[in-house]
Amino acid sequence: MTAGALDARVLAAIGAYALDDDAFLALARDLFAYQVERNAPYGAFARAAGFGADHLPERIEDIPAVPAAAFKEARLATFPPNETAAWFETSGTTRGRGGRHELPTTRLYDAALLASFDRMLLADGARLRYLNLVPDPRERPHSSLGHMMGVVARERGDGASGWYLHGDDLDADAFVRDAARAAAAGIAVCVATTAFALVALLDALAERDLALALPAGSRIMETGGFKGRTRVVDRATLYAQASDRLGVPVEAIVAEYGMTELSSQYYDTFASRARVDTRVKVPPPWLRPIVVGGDGRPLPRGVVGALRHIDLANRGSVIAIDTEDLGALTAEGLVLIGRDEGAELRGCSLDAETLLARRG
Amino acid sequence: MLPARRVIAHVADAAERWCDADFPPRVRATAAIRARLGYSEPVVDYALDRLFSGVTRDALEAAIASELGSVDALDGVAERRGAPAAWARGVDRVVVVSSDTTIGVAVVPAVFALCAKCGVVVKDRSDALVAGFFASLAEEHPAFASAARAHAWTGGGDPAETALFEGADTVVAFGRDDTLRAIRARCGADTRFAGFGHRASIGRLTRDDLAAFDDALAARIARDALLYDGEGCLSPHALFVAADGAELARVASALAAACERVVVEFPGGERAPAHEAATAAYRNLAAFRAAGGRGAVFRAGDAALVLDPPRDEPPPFLPRVIPLIAADGDAAIAAYVAAHGLPVQAVGVVSADAAAVALAERIGAVRVAPFGTMQAPPLGGHHGGTPRIADFVRWIDLG
């Protein structure tokens, strides 16, 4: 099957925002067959696991999943380097290396992100002004988050979007100025922000003794992102403070969960937005989460394990990605669990974090 | 105040009771330790056996004599060859802060402090292991009821804890770097502080070792590596092997077979999902590399041996994951340790010869241990490179 034919099928699922189990499996198998033949490192990995184009997985749970860190080890792409249309930089880890998620086209990526965003953040059809506390794609073209909000702002914004995060520095004065302008004009805004940038914004507002009253219909999209930061604020506190300082109801603060190695995103369910303690996330129809144990086998509902994602929009790389993120599946959807919860170390051995801290 | 030899005798007698796995206080402590840490029962039993079986009269007296010249020095002025006669008078107040992640680490310093006739307060953990042992001591002699106290309390800014640290002559603490820094900052200006931080250990197989490599040696290495699920400061977190290619794979294969047997004797403990996930991710990444022709992964029950991980990565420090790193000579080992800034506690070797000592000296290690003994440090050794009893006495010289 050709790339074009596969893309057409994925795009059809995105357009319909529907894909039943049988169709998901069929498309996943075809994508798997395509990827093991064209993505050499993945093909070798899959063959070592006993699968290949001539031996397709019977269930999506059986699709060999590469660890997310594999993107730092090899070029995981189904096309030659000279056909790379865009690439996103994966974050470094405690071991320091970054990696790339390369795309042969942004068509699937952009279609997937817009379809989800439309349903999960713009269900009311609002045309908002986007005040972005995420990397500016003009400054950091290889930030997947920056790209995502660039596309959203361009396609769904009112043409007056702003970018306030420059490196690690937040231009709070510009944000306050632009938020006030939007408020004066009665234009509802969407504040797209990492959790850490939101903390920085709230700190800046507190320093200025400012509380904003964003226009009705305004909302916040929070994308997580405390990794590697020394200051972590629990989500309930963060949302309560954001609601107070920005004048946005808690239920209009929506958490997005995604990763550079994926092309699709999860969002809080509408039903769970009224609370902040246990938000539940749902994927779009072409993305499926599987919670696995240490042996890689799926865990029953309600049991916490590592998250594996099967993202059919990852046609140009690998559709099955294993992560170290933790979660549990419930009848409502996916509940993310913080990595530190219940993760107290045992023994008197050195650990990676301590070693990193010692090395400065 | 009891003479030192009587203190030692009582301590040894109490320890002997704790060597019995059916001794009721030990049974209770075993269950509580398991509940606290999640280690399997054989591992906890091993830890308690090792802990208490080493506390004998002979071992205590030998350790004290080696540091102070004689046991008698603890009771009054004693002659010392080539030095003024002196009294190793125990300090008044010793505080021992045990670690919440380990088994019974506070017992040994507490025992030596008692032998020095110090008043000892131990910050115990929820399993109340030290309190249980102190109760046994008080049964041996009522003087211990006031001299040895152990209870659990909340740390951090607890004013009572601060007062305890400020008033202590010596504070012994176990824990992570930030914990030790915080405790040290709260000690008085004259307080002696002995901190035992988290450390790494390594194993080393030379070409000569490989020539004689057999199942028995593999079993000793596997036991050292898998006890405490590889989470101890004496666990070999990386095994350096003077081989590569097929020879390295042969060693890994034999070690994997040995690990299969060890995991039966010492089953792995419970693991938090985050640790499960991190371990799986590391193993799967190694499998990904192996599929591309770099290294290999050998599974052995719940353990994994990872061959030839990238040199620019430190050891993973994950439960029951043993990286095997090709290193042709001690210079390569030293270079790896230096590159990653590893604080090394012990070096596991086949022969504790001069070359092994030179390697230990070069990389900052404080112990060279034959494989099979890494997890069994002798009571008279210098854990962490420090003395056992010297920090608990104040010398009064005559002349």
Side-chain angles (χ1 to χ4, degrees), chain B residues 60-148:
Chain B
L60 286 167
E61 289 188 356
I64 292 167
S66 74
E67 284 187 22
L68 305 183
S70 72
V71 174
D72 297 333
L74 289 167
D75 293 327
V77 176
E79 294 300 323
R80 297 187 305 150
R81 191 186 303 173
W87 176 17
R89 201 273 193 192
V91 300
D92 294 329
R93 293 171 300 273
V94 171
V95 176
V96 183
V97 182
S98 66
S99 150
D100 201 25
T101 62
T102 52
I103 303 173
V105 289
V107 168
V108 170
V111 158
F112 278 105
L114 289 171
C115 290
K117 296 188 263 188
C118 309
V120 179
V121 176
V122 173
K123 181 175 184 178
D124 210 352
R125 294 299 165 180
S126 59
D127 51 50
L129 171 66
V130 183
F133 180 65
F134 281 1
S136 300
L137 273 176
E139 288 167 10
E140 295 289 332
H141 194 287
F144 289 109
S146 56

Side-chain angles (χ1 to χ4, degrees), chain A residues 44-45 67 70 73 95 97 294 306 322 324 326 339 342-351 354-355 358-359, chain B residues 37-38 101 176-177 198-199 229 231 233 237 270 272 274-276 278 283 289 291 294 312-314 317 340 343:
Chain A
F45 179 69
E73 296 284 332
R95 295 182 178 92
R97 279 194 291 269
D322 267 340
E324 291 182 53
L326 301 178
R339 285 190 198 186
E344 185 64 30
L345 294 167
R346 286 188 310 206
C348 48
S349 160
L350 194 67
D351 59 87
T354 300
L355 181 61
R358 278 171 161 258
R359 294 164 70 189
Chain B
L37 293 173
T101 62
R176 302 179 73 175
D177 290 354
H198 290 195
R199 292 285 183 275
D229 293 356
E231 296 169 325
C233 60
H237 299 99
E270 297 163 13
H275 299 157
E276 284 273 21
R283 202 175 52 224
R289 290 186 188 122
R294 292 172 293 158
D312 61 353
E313 291 183 1
F317 301 112
H340 296 293

Side-chain angles (χ1 to χ4, degrees), chain A residues 189-273:
Chain A
V189 305
C190 174
V191 179
T193 178
T194 65
F196 189 74
L198 186 55
V199 170
L201 175 65
L202 296 175
D203 286 348
L205 293 176
E207 277 173 21
R208 292 162 175 76
D209 198 19
L210 272 178
L212 306 177
L214 295 176
S218 294
R219 58 211 72 179
I220 297 171
M221 185 188 81
E222 179 264 310
T223 68
F226 276 119
K227 203 186 295 180
R229 303 294 184 169
T230 51
R231 186 174 166 215
V232 176
V233 178
D234 76 83
R235 183 154 276 120
T237 304
L238 180 62
Y239 283 15
Q241 290 178 352
S243 179
D244 286 348
R245 286 275 174 197
L246 299 174
V248 173
V250 164
E251 57 267 29
I253 305 175
V254 181
E256 176 257 9
Y257 165 63
M259 47 196 293
T260 305
E261 295 84 353
L262 299 180
S263 298
S264 309
Q265 299 82 29
Y266 297 77
Y267 289 92
D268 289 340
T269 62
F270 290 96
S272 72
R273 291 179 190 180

Side-chain angles (χ1 to χ4, degrees), chain B residues 24-355:
Chain B
R26 174 166 159 168
V27 172
R28 279 196 295 276
T30 300
I33 291 168
R34 289 196 64 203
R36 178 167 67 89
L37 293 173
Y39 284 126
S40 65
E41 187 163 335
V43 168
V44 177
D45 266 335
Y46 175 89
L48 296 181
D49 284 346
R50 281 299 320 159
L51 180 61
F52 291 110
S53 67
V55 183
T56 64
R57 190 172 183 154
D58 288 349
L60 286 167
E61 289 188 356
I64 292 167
S66 74
E67 284 187 22
L68 305 183
S70 72
V71 174
D72 297 333
L74 289 167
D75 293 327
V77 176
E79 294 300 323
R80 297 187 305 150
R81 191 186 303 173
W87 176 17
R89 201 273 193 192
V91 300
D92 294 329
R93 293 171 300 273
V94 171
V95 176
V96 183
V97 182
S98 66
S99 150
D100 201 25
T101 62
T102 52
I103 303 173
V105 289
V107 168
V108 170
V111 158
F112 278 105
L114 289 171
C115 290
K117 296 188 263 188
C118 309
V120 179
V121 176
V122 173
K123 181 175 184 178
D124 210 352
R125 294 299 165 180
S126 59
D127 51 50
L129 171 66
V130 183
F133 180 65
F134 281 1
S136 300
L137 273 176
E139 288 167 10
E140 295 289 332
H141 194 287
F144 289 109
S146 56
R149 291 179 289 130
H151 52 274
W153 68 79
T154 308
D158 185 340
E161 185 182 68
T162 299
L164 210 53
F165 291 157
E166 284 178 348
D169 296 292
T170 302
V171 171
V172 179
F174 298 85
R176 302 179 73 175
D177 290 354
D178 49 355
T179 303
L180 297 183
R181 269 194 291 270
I183 293 173
R184 182 159 49 189
R186 294 162 69 200
C187 290
D190 293 330
T191 304
R192 294 183 209 171
F193 178 79
F196 295 90
H198 290 195
R199 292 285 183 275
S201 287
I202 63 170
R204 164 251 222 186
L205 287 170
T206 65
R207 284 196 200 121
D208 288 346
D209 299 335
L210 293 176
F213 190 83
D214 58 12
D215 289 348
L217 174 56
R220 293 197 293 275
I221 296 171
R223 194 178 165 96
D224 283 340
L226 299 187
L227 268 167
Y228 308 114
D229 293 356
E231 296 169 325
C233 60
L234 296 172
S235 306
H237 299 99
L239 181 62
F240 294 91
V241 185
D244 54 17
E247 178 70 354
L248 185 59
R250 181 182 73 84
V251 171
S253 180
L255 276 175
C259 286
E260 291 271 14
R261 293 187 285 275
V262 173
V263 299
V264 175
E265 185 182 3
F266 295 109
E270 297 163 13
R271 293 182 197 171
H275 299 157
E276 284 273 21
T279 302
Y282 183 82
R283 202 175 52 224
N284 293 344
L285 188 60
F288 178 80
R289 290 186 188 122
R294 292 172 293 158
V297 180
F298 288 75
R299 299 292 299 270
D302 62 356
L305 294 100
V306 174
L307 263 68
D308 217 9
R311 304 297 174 88
D312 61 353
E313 291 183 1
F317 301 112
L318 291 167
R320 297 201 162 196
V321 177
I322 311 164
L324 270 65
I325 301 169
D328 190 15
D330 290 348
I333 298 173
Y336 180 93
V337 169
H340 296 293
L342 297 181
V344 178
Q345 179 91 348
V347 183
V349 297
V350 172
S351 303
D353 55 16

Side-chain angles (χ1 to χ4, degrees), chain B residues 8-33:
Chain B
I8 291 168
H10 289 313
V11 166
D13 288 347
E16 189 176 355
R17 292 160 72 194
W18 276 77
C19 289
D20 177 2
D22 294 326
F23 181 48
R26 174 166 159 168
V27 172
R28 279 196 295 276
T30 300
I33 291 168

